[in-house]
Amino acid sequence: MQISGAQMVIEALIAEGVNTVFGYPGGAIMNVYDEIYKQDGFKHILNRHEQASIHAAEGYAKASGKVGVAMITSGPGFTNAVTGLADAYMDSVPLVVISGQVPMSLIGTDGFQEIDAIGISRPCTKHNYLVTDAADLPRVLKEAFYIAASGRPGPVHIDIPKDVTAQIAEYNYDIELELETYKPHTKGNPRQIKKAMEAIAKAKRPLFYLGGGIINSGATAEVREFVHTTGIPAVETLMARGVLSYDDELLAGMLGMHGSYAANMAMSETDLVIGLGVRFDDRVTGKLSEFAKNAGVIHVDIDPASISKLVHADYPIVGDVKNVVKDMLEHVSKIKHEKFESWRQTISDFAELHPLIFHEDSERIKPQWVVQRVGELLGDSANISTDVGQHQMWAAQFYPFSRPNQWITSGGLGTMGFGFPAAIGVKAACPDKTSINFTGDGSILMNVQELMTAVEKKIPVINVILNNNFLGMVRQWQTLFYDKRHSETDLSVQPDFVKLSEAFGGIGYRVTTKEEFDAALKDAVEKNVVAFIEVIVERFENVMPMVPSGGSLFNMMLLEKKETK
């Protein structure tokens, strides 16, 4: 059928099963928004900033496992969105982001709201397109969704000039994709898999190193079976929280800069690293020359560019984690569970020697207690989003994650302002779960305008603001490494967060005691509306353990256990 380019966009989104689109209109994409007004195939959520639109689409994608979709306009609309694109690219989040562009006759003339969106997005997208003919739109849109979701997921950007959205052309979405240069390798090499399993059978102290790729591939069930059948202990990266349940006896905890003592020491003592869907990020490895230096390395990843990029893989396996682990399970009978009993005991001893703790030695509430308490009260019934900073690490350390897609955070880029819009996307994807955003008094102001989005669309996100009147993580580094010179990190002058929430139409609470917090959380959950719970916490609390930047995992700064008489 002959329809406009703008209509093609709408028809393609409906054909792809998209039910929620996040965005912000403007001149260059107005034709598409006119068609959005006329359709009823999906819901559009108007964010109040383009960066927030991308983060909301990220939250939707991370919680649902589907491709997130956002629409933005040209010029500043697009440049506002770049941070979100970069965030999604770093964390392998499948997105299709559609931007309007000035008419083709104005491209290259420095026209009003013109920017080289393709040139800017190239370093922070998996692929991008400038569509110059409406007849190409069906193919481009279909390719975009396929590329975003397949292989190593990531954001795909489509830039469409305004006159192209007005063009009339033939629309046919029932087409075969022909991507000669893009063929993700999803099946692992059988010989390499056999060699890896033989290495596991011979190892004395093997360790599963679980990454976010497991969640991306939907491989949690297979990985849990692999871990439990073999009896091999496991550590998780920040992005893999929930792959194993928090109470799994084989889970040594989170690995890395703020990982547990048991997890970091296990990695330092292992003789075989079994890396599944990981990229050996610097926040995980610390000093590369000291990382698991006495261990062989099995590395399973769908992205061949990640294999041996930072740490040499003795057993490289390129393939989808789910497929590879299924094949590995066929050889698992050769591995004896009881063989690793002493190794499991060693890791248990590490955990007992330096458990993940905090001390209740302040008149103010400890931030770790707040995270722990939300976990006790809501547990599996909540999805947890965070901004970036100390609160993010405390959430990763102390929340009882029990399932994949429960934990939504900005890992690779570390984007302040991510949490609130992401939590909106999470709630849109999973309306039956309570959407909690742990944030700080610095981060929440980065995208505070999304209060209006949440209130208008009746998306009840509960923002738990751990207010220490500091840019907490920067302050921590200044305290530890800059002789307490707190340069521009004191946030003592802050708004009244209760009134701020109420001004937008939400509800607000300011709590200073544990009893007040319990009451506020209970009330916010029952009222099921947008909420700010401002918790006045200990100002100078540090995130511990901590591996100094560039340090070795076994060289941790620790919070010691208190001696009791």
Side-chain angles (χ1 to χ4, degrees):
M1 57 181 172
Q2 297 274 325
I3 57 176
S4 72
Q7 288 174 297
M8 290 181 188
V9 172
I10 305 306
E11 292 296 327
L13 295 183
I14 293 171
E16 291 289 345
V18 173
N19 58 33
T20 306
V21 172
F22 304 88
Y24 202 100
I29 200 167
M30 204 173 294
N31 291 336
V32 178
Y33 269 86
D34 189 49
E35 295 301 328
I36 288 176
Y37 183 87
K38 301 172 187 176
Q39 61 83 43
D40 59 3
F42 57 81
K43 176 173 60 177
H44 181 277
I45 293 177
L46 173 66
N47 297 99
R48 296 313 198 263
H49 193 284
E50 291 87 355
Q51 179 187 349
S53 294
I54 312 300
H55 291 330
E58 284 187 271
Y60 182 92
K62 288 187 177 193
S64 68
K66 300 176 182 177
V67 176
V69 179
M71 288 190 192
I72 50 179
T73 194
S74 64
F78 176 77
T79 56
N80 281 347
V82 171
T83 297
L85 282 171
D87 189 274
Y89 183 68
M90 290 285 280
D91 284 350
S92 304
V93 184
L95 299 184
V96 170
V97 176
I98 300 168
S99 63
Q101 182 55 276
V102 299
M104 288 175 59
S105 61
L106 292 179
I107 291 178
T109 69
D110 294 332
F112 177 67
Q113 292 194 332
E114 182 200 355
I115 196 75
D116 181 7
I118 291 299
I120 292 171
S121 73
R122 188 170 289 119
C124 57
T125 53
K126 187 176 177 183
H127 194 55
N128 62 10
Y129 300 86
L130 173 63
V131 183
T132 58
D133 188 336
D136 294 332
L137 268 170
R139 173 186 60 81
V140 167
L141 286 157
K142 194 159 192 174
E143 286 181 5
F145 276 90
Y146 173 68
I147 292 170
S150 60
R152 179 178 176 178
V156 177
H157 169 220
I158 305 173
D159 198 37
I160 314 175
K162 188 173 184 179
D163 52 340
V164 174
T165 62
Q167 284 177 8
I168 303 297
E170 182 69 21
Y171 174 78
N172 176 19
Y173 208 67
D174 187 20
I175 52 178
E176 292 292 324
L177 292 178
E178 297 178 3
L179 296 168
E180 290 301 321
T181 59
Y182 178 71
K183 296 188 182 298
H185 198 77
T186 59
K187 293 290 288 184
N189 183 293
R191 289 179 62 187
Q192 287 297 92
I193 289 172
K194 185 180 178 183
K195 287 180 181 179
M197 293 306 290
E198 288 172 352
I200 294 172
K202 292 176 184 176
K204 295 179 180 179
R205 301 184 306 280
L207 185 69
F208 280 108
Y209 166 29
L210 309 179
I214 295 168
I215 294 173
N216 289 342
S217 76
T220 297
E222 289 77 10
V223 169
R224 287 184 176 188
E225 182 182 353
F226 198 6
V227 171
H228 294 146
T229 304
T230 60
I232 296 172
V235 296
E236 291 178 343
T237 67
L238 177 73
M239 305 308 290
R241 303 264 64 188
V243 170
L244 297 183
S245 180
Y246 73 99
D247 55 358
D248 194 311
E249 61 182 13
L250 291 171
L251 178 61
M254 184 176 72
L255 179 73
M257 178 173 282
H258 294 294
S260 70
Y261 180 81
N264 285 354
M265 289 305 296
M267 185 58 78
S268 301
E269 296 291 330
T270 183
D271 63 0
L272 182 66
V273 176
I274 310 167
L276 303 178
V278 295
R279 60 186 183 91
F280 294 89
D281 176 72
D282 61 287
R283 285 292 175 107
V284 162
T285 63
K287 189 176 182 180
L288 274 173
S289 62
E290 297 292 329
F291 177 76
K293 64 180 181 180
N294 298 315
V297 175
I298 297 169
H299 190 182
V300 180
D301 202 282
I302 199 165
D303 181 7
S306 291
I307 304 286
S308 294
K309 179 180 179 181
L310 294 169
V311 173
H312 173 73
D314 301 285
Y315 307 92
I317 303 173
V318 178
D320 183 275
V321 172
K322 188 168 188 170
N323 292 335
V324 173
V325 172
K326 280 182 178 178
D327 291 342
M328 286 178 148
L329 285 168
E330 294 179 6
H331 302 271
V332 84
S333 60
K334 299 175 184 177
I335 300 168
K336 305 303 179 186
H337 194 282
E338 60 274 9
K339 178 183 176 183
F340 308 119
E341 180 58 41
S342 63
W343 173 227
R344 291 193 292 269
Q345 185 58 51
T346 297
I347 295 176
S348 179
D349 291 343
F350 285 144
E352 189 175 334
L353 181 63
H354 292 293
L356 199 57
I357 56 172
F358 61 95
H359 298 319
E360 297 271 20
D361 54 3
S362 169
E363 292 184 4
R364 288 187 172 183
I365 298 174
K366 285 299 182 82
Q368 301 95 320
W369 177 88
V370 177
V371 173
Q372 206 171 66
R373 187 60 175 158
V374 174
E376 291 169 357
L377 296 175
L378 298 182
D380 183 65
S381 69
N383 284 326
I384 304 300
S385 304
T386 75
D387 274 301
V388 169
Q390 288 182 311
H391 59 272
Q392 177 191 32
M393 293 299 107
W394 285 318
Q397 290 176 333
F398 289 97
Y399 197 88
F401 298 104
S402 58
R403 54 182 169 81
N405 307 103
Q406 185 181 13
W407 166 244
I408 289 85
T409 197
S410 170
L413 197 65
T415 307
M416 291 176 68
F418 171 88
F420 190 6
I424 289 173
V426 170
K427 186 64 177 179
C430 305
D432 59 324
K433 298 287 186 182
T434 302
S435 184
I436 299 287
N437 174 39
F438 283 113
T439 182
D441 53 308
S443 282
I444 191 62
L445 292 178
M446 292 269 183
N447 271 313
V448 74
Q449 77 284 337
E450 293 312 298
L451 269 166
M452 203 69 262
T453 301
V455 169
E456 181 199 9
K457 297 298 183 180
K458 296 181 172 56
I459 303 174
V461 171
I462 299 174
N463 296 275
V464 179
I465 304 170
L466 302 179
N467 189 351
N468 55 15
N469 289 130
F470 271 121
L471 287 176
M473 188 61 86
V474 186
R475 191 279 310 155
Q476 176 171 329
W477 280 61
Q478 288 172 337
T479 297
L480 297 174
F481 307 116
Y482 291 85
D483 198 26
K484 299 182 180 180
R485 293 187 295 276
H486 298 149
S487 176
E488 302 302 321
T489 49
D490 192 311
L491 302 181
S492 295
V493 180
Q494 288 283 54
D496 183 322
F497 287 108
V498 174
K499 289 181 180 178
L500 184 60
S501 182
E502 291 173 347
F504 281 87
I507 57 174
Y509 312 83
R510 188 176 193 270
V511 303
T512 58
T513 68
K514 292 179 178 180
E515 293 75 19
E516 289 175 348
F517 178 77
D518 282 2
L521 183 62
K522 181 174 183 290
D523 192 57
V525 171
E526 287 178 353
K527 286 182 174 165
N528 199 34
V529 295
V530 187
F532 272 11
I533 303 178
E534 180 191 12
V535 190
I536 308 305
V537 297
E538 169 57 41
R539 289 199 76 194
F540 291 92
E541 189 75 0
N542 290 330
V543 181
M544 293 293 174
M546 180 179 181
V547 178
S549 183
S552 305
L553 290 185
F554 53 80
N555 241 350
M556 286 163 274
M557 301 170 70
L558 297 164
L559 186 67
E560 300 290 346
K561 288 189 293 185
K562 278 190 170 181
E563 294 297 326
T564 56
K565 294 183 179 179

